[in-house]
Amino acid sequence: MDIDSGLAGKVALVSGGSRGIGRATVELFARDGMDVVFFYRDHAQAAQQVVDAVRAAGGRCEAMRADITDAAAVNDAVEHIVERRGRIDVLVNNAGIVRDNLLGMLEDEDIRAVLDTNVVGVFNLTRAVARHMISKRSGRIINLSSVAGDKGGRGQSNYAASKGAINAFTKAMAVELASRKITVNCVAPGVIETEMSQQVRELADDQIKARILLRRYGQAQDVAHAVWFLASRFADYITGQVLHVDGGFKME
């Protein structure tokens, strides 16, 4: 039985779409008939591989190089998308970085880089896209947070602070944009098998799994399906929520 998600023919913009959760989201959206544009910053070869894979499967996809910490560059990129496609229906703020260390050992750049990418970047992209959604009185914004946003761990002060900010930002924007028929929600992954979590998984594999009720790491597709749901018509009456996709992480 085919399930009509209401997404076919719509335009999606995904930040950080060349790898991990971002790539899984791009591919899932494209399989559901969306016209997907994704931003990447450094990994041009990986970005092209995503585009090639999507197009080979019959989907529509475009990669754009953009630094989300640069507000002017973000505005220019978003205007280019809207000029060519007429609208952006779904925004997924996925791009993020980690620079884990104990507070006393964090360099100024470790703090600045994480906050600039994980927080300022989301502000820049949401501000640029929201004005177009407001004019259409329609839209979905899905932010990627982390369980660290409310269950911080040792050596994660900068990252946890950035993701806690995204949880709060999600709720504030849900209030601000509801009257314009725009929903704003958040997905908070746990430990997912991606390049970003590789180091911590290698250092403390057994200890981490012992704190996950399902006793396994998540897959990028697990998170992408949650993003897909919040973008779909099935989430029409959901806004301001933080959906944890973490296998029951840190509940014990």
Side-chain angles (χ1 to χ4, degrees), residues 127-192:
R127 183 172 54 186
V129 171
R131 66 171 66 100
H132 295 287
M133 290 183 171
I134 289 170
S135 70
K136 299 288 186 182
R137 298 187 69 80
S138 175
R140 293 278 202 273
I141 299 173
I142 301 109
N143 301 317
L144 269 293
S145 176
S146 167
V147 292
D150 55 13
K151 301 174 184 177
R154 178 182 173 88
Q156 289 188 309
S157 58
N158 53 354
Y159 185 73
S162 74
K163 294 307 184 178
I166 295 307
N167 291 347
F169 176 77
T170 296
K171 295 174 186 297
M173 291 309 301
V175 174
E176 188 170 320
L177 296 175
S179 64
R180 301 298 192 267
K181 303 185 186 304
I182 301 165
T183 64
V184 187
N185 290 291
C186 186
V187 176
V191 184
I192 309 299

Short mmCIF file of all heavy atoms in Angstrom, two decimals, residues 127-192:
data_model
loop_
_atom_site.label_atom_id
_atom_site.label_comp_id
_atom_site.label_asym_id
_atom_site.label_seq_id
_atom_site.Cartn_x
_atom_site.Cartn_y
_atom_site.Cartn_z
N ARG A 127 16.15 32.26 9.58
CA ARG A 127 15.73 33.64 9.27
C ARG A 127 15.59 33.85 7.77
O ARG A 127 14.63 34.48 7.31
CB ARG A 127 16.74 34.61 9.87
CG ARG A 127 16.38 36.09 9.69
CD ARG A 127 17.32 36.97 10.49
NE ARG A 127 18.72 36.68 10.17
CZ ARG A 127 19.75 37.23 10.81
NH1 ARG A 127 19.53 38.07 11.82
NH2 ARG A 127 20.99 36.94 10.46
N ALA A 128 16.54 33.31 7.00
CA ALA A 128 16.51 33.50 5.55
C ALA A 128 15.34 32.77 4.91
O ALA A 128 14.72 33.28 3.96
CB ALA A 128 17.83 33.02 4.94
N VAL A 129 15.03 31.57 5.40
CA VAL A 129 13.97 30.77 4.81
C VAL A 129 12.59 31.18 5.32
O VAL A 129 11.61 31.18 4.56
CB VAL A 129 14.22 29.27 5.09
CG1 VAL A 129 13.02 28.43 4.66
CG2 VAL A 129 15.47 28.81 4.36
N ALA A 130 12.50 31.53 6.60
CA ALA A 130 11.20 31.79 7.21
C ALA A 130 10.44 32.91 6.51
O ALA A 130 9.21 32.85 6.38
CB ALA A 130 11.36 32.11 8.69
N ARG A 131 11.16 33.92 6.04
CA ARG A 131 10.45 35.03 5.38
C ARG A 131 9.70 34.56 4.13
O ARG A 131 8.62 35.07 3.82
CB ARG A 131 11.42 36.16 5.04
CG ARG A 131 12.48 35.84 4.02
CD ARG A 131 13.25 37.11 3.61
NE ARG A 131 14.02 37.64 4.72
CZ ARG A 131 15.33 37.44 4.88
NH1 ARG A 131 15.99 36.71 3.98
NH2 ARG A 131 15.97 37.94 5.90
N HIS A 132 10.25 33.59 3.44
CA HIS A 132 9.57 33.05 2.26
C HIS A 132 8.40 32.14 2.66
O HIS A 132 7.36 32.15 2.00
CB HIS A 132 10.56 32.29 1.38
CG HIS A 132 11.63 33.17 0.80
ND1 HIS A 132 11.37 34.06 -0.22
CD2 HIS A 132 12.94 33.31 1.11
CE1 HIS A 132 12.49 34.71 -0.52
NE2 HIS A 132 13.45 34.28 0.27
N MET A 133 8.57 31.37 3.72
CA MET A 133 7.47 30.55 4.22
C MET A 133 6.33 31.43 4.71
O MET A 133 5.15 31.12 4.48
CB MET A 133 7.96 29.64 5.34
CG MET A 133 8.88 28.53 4.89
SD MET A 133 9.34 27.45 6.28
CE MET A 133 10.17 26.11 5.41
N ILE A 134 6.67 32.53 5.37
CA ILE A 134 5.64 33.45 5.86
C ILE A 134 4.83 34.01 4.70
O ILE A 134 3.60 34.12 4.78
CB ILE A 134 6.29 34.58 6.69
CG1 ILE A 134 6.81 34.03 8.02
CG2 ILE A 134 5.32 35.73 6.92
CD1 ILE A 134 7.67 35.01 8.80
N SER A 135 5.50 34.35 3.62
CA SER A 135 4.79 34.91 2.47
C SER A 135 3.84 33.89 1.84
O SER A 135 2.80 34.25 1.27
CB SER A 135 5.77 35.42 1.41
OG SER A 135 6.45 34.35 0.78
N LYS A 136 4.17 32.59 1.97
CA LYS A 136 3.32 31.53 1.44
C LYS A 136 2.32 31.02 2.48
O LYS A 136 1.42 30.24 2.15
CB LYS A 136 4.18 30.35 0.98
CG LYS A 136 5.18 30.66 -0.12
CD LYS A 136 4.51 30.86 -1.45
CE LYS A 136 5.53 31.02 -2.56
NZ LYS A 136 4.90 31.27 -3.86
N ARG A 137 2.51 31.45 3.74
CA ARG A 137 1.68 30.99 4.85
C ARG A 137 1.66 29.46 4.91
O ARG A 137 0.61 28.82 5.08
CB ARG A 137 0.26 31.56 4.76
CG ARG A 137 0.22 33.08 4.86
CD ARG A 137 -1.21 33.61 4.93
NE ARG A 137 -1.85 33.26 6.19
CZ ARG A 137 -1.69 33.90 7.34
NH1 ARG A 137 -0.86 34.94 7.41
NH2 ARG A 137 -2.33 33.51 8.43
N SER A 138 2.85 28.89 4.81
CA SER A 138 2.97 27.44 4.83
C SER A 138 4.44 27.07 5.00
O SER A 138 5.32 27.76 4.49
CB SER A 138 2.46 26.84 3.51
OG SER A 138 2.67 25.45 3.47
N GLY A 139 4.70 25.98 5.72
CA GLY A 139 6.09 25.52 5.82
C GLY A 139 6.31 24.60 7.00
O GLY A 139 5.53 24.55 7.95
N ARG A 140 7.40 23.87 6.89
CA ARG A 140 7.85 22.97 7.96
C ARG A 140 9.31 23.29 8.23
O ARG A 140 10.14 23.32 7.31
CB ARG A 140 7.76 21.51 7.52
CG ARG A 140 6.34 20.98 7.32
CD ARG A 140 5.74 20.58 8.65
NE ARG A 140 4.66 19.62 8.47
CZ ARG A 140 3.40 19.94 8.25
NH1 ARG A 140 3.06 21.21 8.15
NH2 ARG A 140 2.47 19.01 8.12
N ILE A 141 9.65 23.47 9.49
CA ILE A 141 11.05 23.63 9.90
C ILE A 141 11.35 22.54 10.91
O ILE A 141 10.65 22.39 11.92
CB ILE A 141 11.30 25.02 10.52
CG1 ILE A 141 11.01 26.12 9.48
CG2 ILE A 141 12.74 25.12 11.02
CD1 ILE A 141 11.06 27.53 10.03
N ILE A 142 12.38 21.75 10.62
CA ILE A 142 12.81 20.69 11.52
C ILE A 142 14.27 20.91 11.88
O ILE A 142 15.13 20.96 10.99
CB ILE A 142 12.62 19.28 10.91
CG1 ILE A 142 11.15 19.04 10.55
CG2 ILE A 142 13.09 18.21 11.88
CD1 ILE A 142 10.85 19.02 9.10
N ASN A 143 14.54 21.07 13.16
CA ASN A 143 15.90 21.28 13.64
C ASN A 143 16.46 19.99 14.20
O ASN A 143 15.73 19.18 14.79
CB ASN A 143 15.91 22.35 14.74
CG ASN A 143 15.35 23.68 14.25
OD1 ASN A 143 15.66 24.11 13.14
ND2 ASN A 143 14.53 24.33 15.07
N LEU A 144 17.75 19.77 14.02
CA LEU A 144 18.41 18.61 14.60
C LEU A 144 19.14 19.05 15.86
O LEU A 144 20.04 19.89 15.82
CB LEU A 144 19.39 17.98 13.61
CG LEU A 144 18.86 16.87 12.71
CD1 LEU A 144 18.51 15.63 13.51
CD2 LEU A 144 17.65 17.35 11.92
N SER A 145 18.73 18.46 16.97
CA SER A 145 19.35 18.75 18.26
C SER A 145 20.17 17.52 18.67
O SER A 145 20.83 16.91 17.85
CB SER A 145 18.27 19.09 19.28
OG SER A 145 18.81 19.28 20.56
N SER A 146 20.09 17.12 19.92
CA SER A 146 20.81 15.96 20.43
C SER A 146 20.32 15.67 21.84
O SER A 146 19.85 16.58 22.54
CB SER A 146 22.32 16.25 20.47
OG SER A 146 23.00 15.27 21.22
N VAL A 147 20.46 14.41 22.25
CA VAL A 147 20.15 14.11 23.66
C VAL A 147 21.05 14.92 24.58
O VAL A 147 20.69 15.17 25.74
CB VAL A 147 20.33 12.60 23.96
CG1 VAL A 147 19.28 11.78 23.26
CG2 VAL A 147 21.73 12.12 23.61
N ALA A 148 22.20 15.36 24.07
CA ALA A 148 23.10 16.17 24.89
C ALA A 148 22.47 17.50 25.28
O ALA A 148 22.91 18.14 26.24
CB ALA A 148 24.42 16.43 24.15
N GLY A 149 21.44 17.92 24.55
CA GLY A 149 20.78 19.19 24.85
C GLY A 149 20.10 19.21 26.21
O GLY A 149 19.94 20.28 26.81
N ASP A 150 19.69 18.03 26.69
CA ASP A 150 19.11 18.00 28.05
C ASP A 150 19.71 16.89 28.91
O ASP A 150 19.31 16.72 30.06
CB ASP A 150 17.58 17.86 27.99
CG ASP A 150 17.10 16.67 27.19
OD1 ASP A 150 17.92 15.80 26.86
OD2 ASP A 150 15.90 16.62 26.91
N LYS A 151 20.67 16.14 28.37
CA LYS A 151 21.35 15.10 29.14
C LYS A 151 22.84 15.20 28.86
O LYS A 151 23.45 14.28 28.33
CB LYS A 151 20.83 13.72 28.76
CG LYS A 151 19.32 13.53 28.99
CD LYS A 151 18.86 12.19 28.44
CE LYS A 151 17.34 12.07 28.57
NZ LYS A 151 16.84 10.81 27.99
N GLY A 152 23.42 16.32 29.17
CA GLY A 152 24.82 16.57 28.83
C GLY A 152 25.77 15.60 29.50
O GLY A 152 25.49 15.06 30.57
N GLY A 153 26.91 15.39 28.85
CA GLY A 153 27.92 14.48 29.38
C GLY A 153 29.25 15.18 29.58
O GLY A 153 29.46 16.32 29.16
N ARG A 154 30.16 14.48 30.20
CA ARG A 154 31.51 14.98 30.47
C ARG A 154 32.20 15.36 29.16
O ARG A 154 32.20 14.61 28.19
CB ARG A 154 32.29 13.89 31.20
CG ARG A 154 33.73 14.22 31.54
CD ARG A 154 34.36 13.00 32.22
NE ARG A 154 35.79 13.17 32.43
CZ ARG A 154 36.34 13.73 33.50
NH1 ARG A 154 35.56 14.20 34.46
NH2 ARG A 154 37.65 13.84 33.61
N GLY A 155 32.79 16.54 29.15
CA GLY A 155 33.53 16.98 27.97
C GLY A 155 32.67 17.52 26.85
O GLY A 155 33.15 17.75 25.75
N GLN A 156 31.40 17.76 27.13
CA GLN A 156 30.46 18.20 26.09
C GLN A 156 29.87 19.58 26.37
O GLN A 156 28.81 19.90 25.83
CB GLN A 156 29.30 17.21 25.96
CG GLN A 156 29.66 15.88 25.33
CD GLN A 156 28.42 15.07 25.07
OE1 GLN A 156 27.59 14.88 25.95
NE2 GLN A 156 28.27 14.57 23.85
N SER A 157 30.52 20.39 27.18
CA SER A 157 29.88 21.64 27.60
C SER A 157 29.52 22.53 26.42
O SER A 157 28.42 23.11 26.37
CB SER A 157 30.77 22.40 28.58
OG SER A 157 32.04 22.68 27.99
N ASN A 158 30.42 22.67 25.44
CA ASN A 158 30.11 23.52 24.30
C ASN A 158 29.01 22.92 23.43
O ASN A 158 28.08 23.61 23.00
CB ASN A 158 31.37 23.81 23.47
CG ASN A 158 32.12 22.56 23.06
OD1 ASN A 158 31.80 21.44 23.47
ND2 ASN A 158 33.15 22.73 22.24
N TYR A 159 29.11 21.63 23.16
CA TYR A 159 28.12 20.95 22.32
C TYR A 159 26.76 20.90 23.01
O TYR A 159 25.72 21.19 22.39
CB TYR A 159 28.61 19.54 22.00
CG TYR A 159 27.72 18.79 21.04
CD1 TYR A 159 27.68 19.12 19.70
CD2 TYR A 159 26.92 17.74 21.49
CE1 TYR A 159 26.87 18.43 18.81
CE2 TYR A 159 26.11 17.03 20.61
CZ TYR A 159 26.08 17.39 19.28
OH TYR A 159 25.26 16.69 18.40
N ALA A 160 26.74 20.54 24.30
CA ALA A 160 25.48 20.47 25.04
C ALA A 160 24.80 21.84 25.10
O ALA A 160 23.57 21.95 24.94
CB ALA A 160 25.72 19.94 26.45
N ALA A 161 25.59 22.88 25.32
CA ALA A 161 25.02 24.23 25.35
C ALA A 161 24.41 24.59 24.00
O ALA A 161 23.33 25.20 23.93
CB ALA A 161 26.10 25.24 25.72
N SER A 162 25.08 24.21 22.91
CA SER A 162 24.56 24.54 21.58
C SER A 162 23.25 23.81 21.30
O SER A 162 22.33 24.38 20.71
CB SER A 162 25.60 24.20 20.51
OG SER A 162 25.72 22.82 20.28
N LYS A 163 23.14 22.58 21.72
CA LYS A 163 21.94 21.81 21.43
C LYS A 163 20.79 22.17 22.38
O LYS A 163 19.62 22.13 22.00
CB LYS A 163 22.24 20.31 21.49
CG LYS A 163 23.18 19.85 20.37
CD LYS A 163 22.68 20.28 19.00
CE LYS A 163 23.55 19.77 17.86
NZ LYS A 163 23.03 20.16 16.53
N GLY A 164 21.14 22.56 23.62
CA GLY A 164 20.10 23.09 24.49
C GLY A 164 19.51 24.36 23.92
O GLY A 164 18.30 24.61 24.00
N ALA A 165 20.36 25.18 23.30
CA ALA A 165 19.88 26.40 22.64
C ALA A 165 18.93 26.07 21.50
O ALA A 165 17.92 26.77 21.30
CB ALA A 165 21.07 27.20 22.12
N ILE A 166 19.22 25.01 20.75
CA ILE A 166 18.34 24.64 19.63
C ILE A 166 16.99 24.15 20.14
O ILE A 166 15.94 24.44 19.54
CB ILE A 166 19.01 23.58 18.75
CG1 ILE A 166 20.25 24.17 18.08
CG2 ILE A 166 18.05 23.03 17.70
CD1 ILE A 166 20.01 25.46 17.31
N ASN A 167 16.97 23.43 21.24
CA ASN A 167 15.68 23.02 21.82
C ASN A 167 14.84 24.25 22.17
O ASN A 167 13.64 24.30 21.86
CB ASN A 167 15.91 22.18 23.07
CG ASN A 167 16.51 20.82 22.76
OD1 ASN A 167 16.54 20.38 21.61
ND2 ASN A 167 17.00 20.15 23.79
N ALA A 168 15.46 25.23 22.81
CA ALA A 168 14.74 26.44 23.19
C ALA A 168 14.34 27.26 21.97
O ALA A 168 13.23 27.81 21.91
CB ALA A 168 15.62 27.29 24.12
N PHE A 169 15.23 27.35 20.99
CA PHE A 169 14.94 28.06 19.75
C PHE A 169 13.73 27.44 19.04
O PHE A 169 12.86 28.16 18.53
CB PHE A 169 16.17 28.00 18.85
CG PHE A 169 16.00 28.62 17.49
CD1 PHE A 169 16.00 30.00 17.33
CD2 PHE A 169 15.84 27.83 16.36
CE1 PHE A 169 15.85 30.58 16.07
CE2 PHE A 169 15.70 28.38 15.11
CZ PHE A 169 15.69 29.76 14.96
N THR A 170 13.68 26.12 19.02
CA THR A 170 12.56 25.42 18.38
C THR A 170 11.23 25.83 19.00
O THR A 170 10.26 26.15 18.29
CB THR A 170 12.75 23.90 18.51
OG1 THR A 170 13.92 23.50 17.79
CG2 THR A 170 11.55 23.15 17.97
N LYS A 171 11.17 25.85 20.31
CA LYS A 171 9.92 26.19 20.98
C LYS A 171 9.54 27.65 20.75
O LYS A 171 8.36 27.98 20.53
CB LYS A 171 10.05 25.88 22.48
CG LYS A 171 10.23 24.40 22.77
CD LYS A 171 10.50 24.14 24.25
CE LYS A 171 10.82 22.67 24.51
NZ LYS A 171 9.70 21.77 24.18
N ALA A 172 10.53 28.54 20.79
CA ALA A 172 10.25 29.96 20.56
C ALA A 172 9.75 30.21 19.14
O ALA A 172 8.81 30.97 18.92
CB ALA A 172 11.50 30.79 20.84
N MET A 173 10.38 29.55 18.16
CA MET A 173 9.97 29.74 16.78
C MET A 173 8.61 29.12 16.50
O MET A 173 7.84 29.62 15.66
CB MET A 173 11.01 29.15 15.83
CG MET A 173 12.34 29.91 15.79
SD MET A 173 12.14 31.70 15.51
CE MET A 173 11.30 31.68 13.93
N ALA A 174 8.29 28.03 17.19
CA ALA A 174 6.96 27.44 17.04
C ALA A 174 5.88 28.44 17.43
O ALA A 174 4.85 28.57 16.76
CB ALA A 174 6.85 26.16 17.87
N VAL A 175 6.12 29.16 18.53
CA VAL A 175 5.18 30.19 18.97
C VAL A 175 5.13 31.33 17.95
O VAL A 175 4.04 31.80 17.57
CB VAL A 175 5.58 30.72 20.36
CG1 VAL A 175 4.69 31.90 20.75
CG2 VAL A 175 5.51 29.62 21.40
N GLU A 176 6.28 31.75 17.49
CA GLU A 176 6.36 32.91 16.61
C GLU A 176 5.74 32.67 15.24
O GLU A 176 5.14 33.58 14.65
CB GLU A 176 7.84 33.29 16.45
CG GLU A 176 8.09 34.59 15.72
CD GLU A 176 9.54 35.03 15.82
OE1 GLU A 176 10.14 34.88 16.90
OE2 GLU A 176 10.07 35.52 14.79
N LEU A 177 5.83 31.45 14.74
CA LEU A 177 5.41 31.18 13.36
C LEU A 177 4.09 30.44 13.22
O LEU A 177 3.60 30.25 12.11
CB LEU A 177 6.50 30.38 12.64
CG LEU A 177 7.85 31.10 12.48
CD1 LEU A 177 8.89 30.17 11.86
CD2 LEU A 177 7.69 32.36 11.64
N ALA A 178 3.49 30.05 14.33
CA ALA A 178 2.25 29.27 14.25
C ALA A 178 1.14 30.01 13.52
O ALA A 178 0.38 29.42 12.74
CB ALA A 178 1.78 28.89 15.66
N SER A 179 1.03 31.31 13.74
CA SER A 179 -0.04 32.07 13.09
C SER A 179 0.13 32.16 11.59
O SER A 179 -0.81 32.51 10.86
CB SER A 179 -0.12 33.48 13.68
OG SER A 179 1.07 34.21 13.40
N ARG A 180 1.33 31.83 11.10
CA ARG A 180 1.60 31.84 9.66
C ARG A 180 1.52 30.43 9.07
O ARG A 180 1.96 30.18 7.96
CB ARG A 180 3.00 32.42 9.39
CG ARG A 180 3.19 33.84 9.89
CD ARG A 180 2.25 34.83 9.21
NE ARG A 180 2.61 36.20 9.49
CZ ARG A 180 2.13 36.94 10.48
NH1 ARG A 180 1.26 36.39 11.33
NH2 ARG A 180 2.50 38.20 10.64
N LYS A 181 0.96 29.50 9.87
CA LYS A 181 0.77 28.11 9.43
C LYS A 181 2.09 27.39 9.15
O LYS A 181 2.18 26.54 8.26
CB LYS A 181 -0.17 28.03 8.22
CG LYS A 181 -1.53 28.66 8.45
CD LYS A 181 -2.45 28.45 7.27
CE LYS A 181 -3.78 29.19 7.43
NZ LYS A 181 -4.48 28.82 8.66
N ILE A 182 3.10 27.74 9.93
CA ILE A 182 4.42 27.09 9.83
C ILE A 182 4.66 26.33 11.13
O ILE A 182 4.54 26.90 12.21
CB ILE A 182 5.53 28.13 9.62
CG1 ILE A 182 5.29 28.93 8.34
CG2 ILE A 182 6.90 27.46 9.61
CD1 ILE A 182 6.13 30.19 8.25
N THR A 183 4.97 25.04 11.01
CA THR A 183 5.29 24.26 12.20
C THR A 183 6.80 24.19 12.37
O THR A 183 7.55 24.17 11.40
CB THR A 183 4.71 22.83 12.13
OG1 THR A 183 5.32 22.12 11.07
CG2 THR A 183 3.20 22.88 11.95
N VAL A 184 7.23 24.15 13.62
CA VAL A 184 8.66 24.08 13.95
C VAL A 184 8.85 22.99 15.00
O VAL A 184 8.28 23.07 16.09
CB VAL A 184 9.19 25.42 14.48
CG1 VAL A 184 10.72 25.35 14.64
CG2 VAL A 184 8.80 26.57 13.57
N ASN A 185 9.62 21.99 14.65
CA ASN A 185 9.87 20.88 15.57
C ASN A 185 11.34 20.51 15.56
O ASN A 185 12.13 21.05 14.78
CB ASN A 185 9.02 19.67 15.17
CG ASN A 185 7.54 19.88 15.44
OD1 ASN A 185 7.12 19.94 16.59
ND2 ASN A 185 6.76 20.02 14.38
N CYS A 186 11.70 19.60 16.42
CA CYS A 186 13.11 19.24 16.61
C CYS A 186 13.23 17.73 16.77
O CYS A 186 12.37 17.10 17.39
CB CYS A 186 13.61 19.96 17.88
SG CYS A 186 15.36 19.78 18.19
N VAL A 187 14.28 17.17 16.20
CA VAL A 187 14.62 15.77 16.42
C VAL A 187 15.94 15.73 17.19
O VAL A 187 16.92 16.37 16.78
CB VAL A 187 14.75 15.01 15.09
CG1 VAL A 187 15.20 13.57 15.34
CG2 VAL A 187 13.43 15.03 14.33
N ALA A 188 15.95 14.98 18.29
CA ALA A 188 17.14 14.90 19.15
C ALA A 188 17.68 13.47 19.11
O ALA A 188 17.21 12.61 19.86
CB ALA A 188 16.79 15.31 20.57
N PRO A 189 18.66 13.21 18.26
CA PRO A 189 19.22 11.86 18.19
C PRO A 189 20.07 11.53 19.41
O PRO A 189 20.62 12.41 20.07
CB PRO A 189 20.10 11.91 16.92
CG PRO A 189 19.68 13.14 16.19
CD PRO A 189 19.23 14.10 17.25
N GLY A 190 20.19 10.23 19.65
CA GLY A 190 21.15 9.74 20.63
C GLY A 190 22.46 9.45 19.95
O GLY A 190 22.92 10.22 19.11
N VAL A 191 23.07 8.32 20.28
CA VAL A 191 24.34 7.95 19.65
C VAL A 191 24.04 7.20 18.35
O VAL A 191 23.51 6.09 18.37
CB VAL A 191 25.19 7.07 20.59
CG1 VAL A 191 26.54 6.78 19.94
CG2 VAL A 191 25.39 7.77 21.93
N ILE A 192 24.35 7.84 17.25
CA ILE A 192 24.05 7.30 15.93
C ILE A 192 25.36 6.89 15.26
O ILE A 192 26.39 7.56 15.42
CB ILE A 192 23.33 8.37 15.06
CG1 ILE A 192 22.13 8.95 15.82
CG2 ILE A 192 22.90 7.76 13.73
CD1 ILE A 192 21.06 7.95 16.21
#
